[in-house]
Each structure stands twice: as structure tokens, then as C-alpha cells.
Amino acid sequence: MSRGKPRAPKRRIEGDYPIATGTAAIVADPARDGGFTLEVNRVPSSYVVLGAPEVLHYDYMRWFAEILASHTLPESFSAVHLGAGACSFASYVQHRYPDSANVAVELDRELAALVRWAFDPPVELKVAEARAFTHALAPGSQDLIVRDVFAGPATPRALTTVEFYTAVRRALCPGGLFLANIGDTKGLPTTRAELAGLREVFGHTVVLAEGNGYGNVVVGASTSKLEVPGALALDAHEHTPRRD
């Protein structure tokens, strides 16, 4: 009796790799077949399950997805993801919204090449500096811009200014959506500062976070009203986030 064609051996991708900004590591998840963590300079950056792009391992990416699902965008929308990592969220969006067009932007050329080789994301991956790339986008050319860029524990200052937010708004279509991942500490001082600038440019903001201590905070901003169940909001007259 024929046993059929033998399965091709799995390609081994885990290991340490030199990149322009230091060292990347791909670490296999012992608890999940096909699950891998991409680390950049020993800091977890992305989690990927091969063949399952809708698995979002990190809370902040699920918060991204919640805000996106609550906002009305065209069926065939265009999205830019600043800070590609392993393209986890960009791949999620491409799979969840198959008519969307997603471009992921990564500063580190060697890291981008590694991600293409190891994970083969179903999105366009470009090598560029996030601020310059955003400022070069054609006015009204995007429906969604996602900022998930970190230098160590913080977002580079150039991506947190009113000037940058203005470039984002200019690149977005009317009613487009900006999503940002923020690393913050107790009391959320960084989030408050970013919200002040974002409200000046966009007018409508929402926040999703776990508690009021150190960790990831997700902010959504738009020129259209944002209504996200369970989101935290901070309007122009408040100094403390409140839950809607």
C-alpha cells in the first residue's frame, strides 16, 4: 500500500541573527506548534503563529483590532504600519480584511530581510524611517496608519510631535484612523502628553489600557467620532482618563 508523498521537513528558523541595530532572535514557543517570538536585542517584539495570522498574542494588538473593528473604513482600504517587526498586525489586517492593501515599514534592512525569509508575511514590507515615510505619503492616500515604533522602551520623540500627527492626518482620508502603541508608566504621563497633541490635530481620541501602571497603552485618533465599547477617553476638559 502506498504511503503517499512524505511530508517536507519543516524549515528551522529559530536562532540568533545579526541585524543592523544589534541582534534578532527567533524563539520557538514550546507550548504551541508553529508559534515563534521575534526578539530584537533580547526584547520581545512580535509573536507569530505560522499559518494563523489572526492569532494576536499581545493585548495591545487585540486592542488595535478592537478599535479598528469599531471604526467604519472603506471595504478596500489602504493601511500603513510603521514599525513592522514580524508584521504580526499587518498580516492580521490583511487576512481579516482581504480587500485591504497593507504596507509595513521597517527601519532595519537586515531585520526586514530576516522577517521576509522566516515568516513570509502577506504584505508589502518596505525599508524606511517612519517619520520620513509618513511625511512623504500623498495627501488623503491612506485609511489607516498604525504606529508601533520603539527605540528601547519608548517611541522616538520625532514620532510623538504635533508636526508628526499633522503629517499623519494629512496622509489619511477624511475619517481615517490612526492607531498608536505607547509604552507608559504609572499615571500614564506619556499617554497624557500624546493625547494633548493628538486632540489638537484630530479632535477625537480613545484609549485602551490595562490598569493605570506600566505597560502598553493603545490610542486611537480620528477626525470622526470614535465609539469603542469599554475604551478609556480623555476629553479636552479632563485630566484623568475615564471609561466610557
Side-chain angles (χ1 to χ4, degrees):
M1 183 176 71
S2 173
R3 292 177 175 267
K5 186 181 292 185
R7 290 184 179 181
K10 290 183 179 180
R11 184 164 54 111
R12 182 179 177 87
I13 63 173
E14 57 263 44
D16 293 339
Y17 301 90
I19 57 175
T21 53
T23 303
I26 298 176
V27 182
D29 183 353
R32 182 161 195 164
D33 186 37
F36 296 90
T37 298
L38 172 67
E39 297 180 352
V40 177
N41 295 320
R42 303 305 171 191
V43 177
S45 168
S46 305
Y47 182 88
V48 174
V49 179
L50 298 178
E54 288 206 32
V55 175
L56 297 177
H57 181 72
Y58 296 124
D59 285 342
Y60 82 86
M61 287 194 179
R62 292 193 287 271
W63 299 336
F64 275 166
E66 286 180 36
I67 299 174
L68 177 57
S70 299
H71 195 64
T72 301
L73 292 178
E75 185 173 343
S76 301
F77 65 83
S78 296
V80 165
H81 303 258
L82 305 171
C87 299
S88 300
F89 190 67
S91 297
Y92 165 86
V93 174
Q94 187 64 62
H95 188 266
R96 179 67 180 80
Y97 305 92
D99 292 326
S100 64
N102 292 268
V103 175
V105 179
E106 173 56 52
L107 176 64
D108 190 315
R109 184 176 300 276
E110 285 75 14
L111 178 58
L114 173 63
V115 167
R116 288 191 190 101
W117 169 77
F119 303 118
D120 190 23
V123 299
E124 186 177 2
L125 182 52
K126 293 190 174 182
V127 176
E129 190 274 322
R131 180 181 177 278
F133 187 90
T134 302
H135 278 262
L137 289 169
S141 62
Q142 304 300 316
D143 300 287
L144 171 67
I145 296 178
V146 181
R147 190 202 72 195
D148 189 12
V149 182
F150 283 85
T155 300
R157 171 65 180 161
L159 303 181
T160 66
T161 64
V162 169
E163 180 187 14
F164 173 72
Y165 303 146
T166 301
V168 170
R169 178 176 174 174
R170 183 172 58 247
L172 287 171
C173 298
L177 179 63
F178 176 57
L179 296 174
N181 180 25
I182 302 169
D184 215 342
T185 55
K186 186 175 182 180
L188 307 181
T190 303
T191 302
R192 294 173 193 277
E194 291 220 39
L195 282 170
L198 285 166
R199 287 198 310 276
E200 183 177 330
V201 175
F202 287 95
H204 299 279
T205 58
V206 293
V207 183
L208 286 171
E210 186 66 39
N212 198 30
Y214 178 79
N216 293 98
V217 179
V218 162
V219 172
S222 180
T223 56
S224 297
K225 187 173 179 58
L226 294 168
E227 296 182 353
V228 183
L232 296 168
L234 188 68
D235 67 29
H237 306 292
E238 292 181 313
H239 298 283
T240 303
R242 58 178 171 80
R243 187 173 296 277
D244 285 345

